[in-house]
PDB file of all heavy atoms in Angstrom:
ATOM      1  N   GLU A 201      90.343  -9.102-129.969  1.00 93.00           N
ATOM      2  CA  GLU A 201      90.477  -7.691-129.566  1.00 93.00           C
ATOM      3  C   GLU A 201      91.909  -7.404-129.126  1.00 93.00           C
ATOM      4  O   GLU A 201      92.508  -6.403-129.506  1.00 93.00           O
ATOM      5  CB  GLU A 201      89.524  -7.371-128.404  1.00 93.00           C
ATOM      6  CG  GLU A 201      88.078  -7.251-128.846  1.00 93.00           C
ATOM      7  CD  GLU A 201      87.103  -7.016-127.689  1.00 93.00           C
ATOM      8  OE1 GLU A 201      87.467  -7.251-126.520  1.00 93.00           O
ATOM      9  OE2 GLU A 201      85.978  -6.624-127.964  1.00 93.00           O
ATOM     10  N   GLN A 202      92.430  -8.338-128.349  1.00 92.00           N
ATOM     11  CA  GLN A 202      93.766  -8.123-127.778  1.00 92.00           C
ATOM     12  C   GLN A 202      94.861  -8.114-128.839  1.00 92.00           C
ATOM     13  O   GLN A 202      95.844  -7.399-128.714  1.00 92.00           O
ATOM     14  CB  GLN A 202      94.030  -9.234-126.749  1.00 92.00           C
ATOM     15  CG  GLN A 202      95.197  -8.951-125.847  1.00 92.00           C
ATOM     16  CD  GLN A 202      95.430 -10.128-124.900  1.00 92.00           C
ATOM     17  OE1 GLN A 202      94.534 -10.972-124.696  1.00 92.00           O
ATOM     18  NE2 GLN A 202      96.618 -10.220-124.342  1.00 92.00           N
ATOM     19  N   TYR A 203      94.664  -8.909-129.900  1.00 94.00           N
ATOM     20  CA  TYR A 203      95.731  -9.037-130.893  1.00 94.00           C
ATOM     21  C   TYR A 203      95.439  -8.307-132.210  1.00 94.00           C
ATOM     22  O   TYR A 203      95.975  -8.655-133.259  1.00 94.00           O
ATOM     23  CB  TYR A 203      96.034 -10.522-131.146  1.00 94.00           C
ATOM     24  CG  TYR A 203      96.703 -11.171-129.960  1.00 94.00           C
ATOM     25  CD1 TYR A 203      95.950 -11.783-128.962  1.00 94.00           C
ATOM     26  CD2 TYR A 203      98.094 -11.128-129.803  1.00 94.00           C
ATOM     27  CE1 TYR A 203      96.553 -12.355-127.847  1.00 94.00           C
ATOM     28  CE2 TYR A 203      98.704 -11.699-128.695  1.00 94.00           C
ATOM     29  CZ  TYR A 203      97.930 -12.308-127.722  1.00 94.00           C
ATOM     30  OH  TYR A 203      98.531 -12.857-126.621  1.00 94.00           O
ATOM     31  N   GLY A 204      94.564  -7.318-132.147  1.00 94.00           N
ATOM     32  CA  GLY A 204      94.331  -6.483-133.326  1.00 94.00           C
ATOM     33  C   GLY A 204      93.635  -7.203-134.469  1.00 94.00           C
ATOM     34  O   GLY A 204      93.813  -6.833-135.635  1.00 94.00           O
ATOM     35  N   LEU A 205      92.857  -8.248-134.152  1.00 96.00           N
ATOM     36  CA  LEU A 205      92.186  -8.996-135.223  1.00 96.00           C
ATOM     37  C   LEU A 205      90.697  -8.701-135.295  1.00 96.00           C
ATOM     38  O   LEU A 205      89.990  -9.222-136.156  1.00 96.00           O
ATOM     39  CB  LEU A 205      92.391 -10.502-134.999  1.00 96.00           C
ATOM     40  CG  LEU A 205      93.849 -10.957-135.060  1.00 96.00           C
ATOM     41  CD1 LEU A 205      94.004 -12.356-134.489  1.00 96.00           C
ATOM     42  CD2 LEU A 205      94.321 -10.930-136.513  1.00 96.00           C
ATOM     43  N   ILE A 206      90.225  -7.850-134.396  1.00 96.00           N
ATOM     44  CA  ILE A 206      88.778  -7.641-134.312  1.00 96.00           C
ATOM     45  C   ILE A 206      88.262  -6.911-135.554  1.00 96.00           C
ATOM     46  O   ILE A 206      87.137  -7.171-136.006  1.00 96.00           O
ATOM     47  CB  ILE A 206      88.382  -6.926-132.991  1.00 96.00           C
ATOM     48  CG1 ILE A 206      86.874  -7.062-132.730  1.00 96.00           C
ATOM     49  CG2 ILE A 206      88.788  -5.471-132.971  1.00 96.00           C
ATOM     50  CD1 ILE A 206      86.432  -8.425-132.339  1.00 96.00           C
ATOM     51  N   GLY A 207      89.083  -6.031-136.107  1.00 95.00           N
ATOM     52  CA  GLY A 207      88.656  -5.278-137.289  1.00 95.00           C
ATOM     53  C   GLY A 207      88.297  -6.226-138.419  1.00 95.00           C
ATOM     54  O   GLY A 207      87.242  -6.092-139.062  1.00 95.00           O
ATOM     55  N   ALA A 208      89.163  -7.200-138.664  1.00 97.00           N
ATOM     56  CA  ALA A 208      88.936  -8.159-139.749  1.00 97.00           C
ATOM     57  C   ALA A 208      87.692  -8.995-139.470  1.00 97.00           C
ATOM     58  O   ALA A 208      86.891  -9.273-140.376  1.00 97.00           O
ATOM     59  CB  ALA A 208      90.152  -9.066-139.895  1.00 97.00           C
ATOM     60  N   LEU A 209      87.517  -9.352-138.205  1.00 98.00           N
ATOM     61  CA  LEU A 209      86.357 -10.163-137.833  1.00 98.00           C
ATOM     62  C   LEU A 209      85.058  -9.366-138.000  1.00 98.00           C
ATOM     63  O   LEU A 209      84.069  -9.867-138.551  1.00 98.00           O
ATOM     64  CB  LEU A 209      86.514 -10.641-136.385  1.00 98.00           C
ATOM     65  CG  LEU A 209      85.488 -11.654-135.933  1.00 98.00           C
ATOM     66  CD1 LEU A 209      85.713 -12.982-136.633  1.00 98.00           C
ATOM     67  CD2 LEU A 209      85.571 -11.863-134.434  1.00 98.00           C
ATOM     68  N   THR A 210      85.067  -8.120-137.538  1.00 97.00           N
ATOM     69  CA  THR A 210      83.876  -7.266-137.676  1.00 97.00           C
ATOM     70  C   THR A 210      83.506  -7.118-139.146  1.00 97.00           C
ATOM     71  O   THR A 210      82.333  -7.199-139.524  1.00 97.00           O
ATOM     72  CB  THR A 210      84.130  -5.871-137.065  1.00 97.00           C
ATOM     73  OG1 THR A 210      84.512  -6.054-135.700  1.00 97.00           O
ATOM     74  CG2 THR A 210      82.902  -4.992-137.122  1.00 97.00           C
ATOM     75  N   GLU A 211      84.527  -6.921-139.977  1.00 97.00           N
ATOM     76  CA  GLU A 211      84.271  -6.744-141.401  1.00 97.00           C
ATOM     77  C   GLU A 211      83.605  -7.991-141.986  1.00 97.00           C
ATOM     78  O   GLU A 211      82.671  -7.906-142.776  1.00 97.00           O
ATOM     79  CB  GLU A 211      85.596  -6.455-142.112  1.00 97.00           C
ATOM     80  CG  GLU A 211      85.385  -5.687-143.397  1.00 97.00           C
ATOM     81  CD  GLU A 211      86.699  -5.154-143.961  1.00 97.00           C
ATOM     82  OE1 GLU A 211      87.533  -4.647-143.167  1.00 97.00           O
ATOM     83  OE2 GLU A 211      86.895  -5.271-145.180  1.00 97.00           O
TER      84      GLU A 211
END
Side-chain angles (χ1 to χ4, degrees):
E201 285 176 343
Q202 194 183 342
Y203 290 91
L205 297 166
I206 196 71
L209 189 70
T210 303
E211 205 168 318

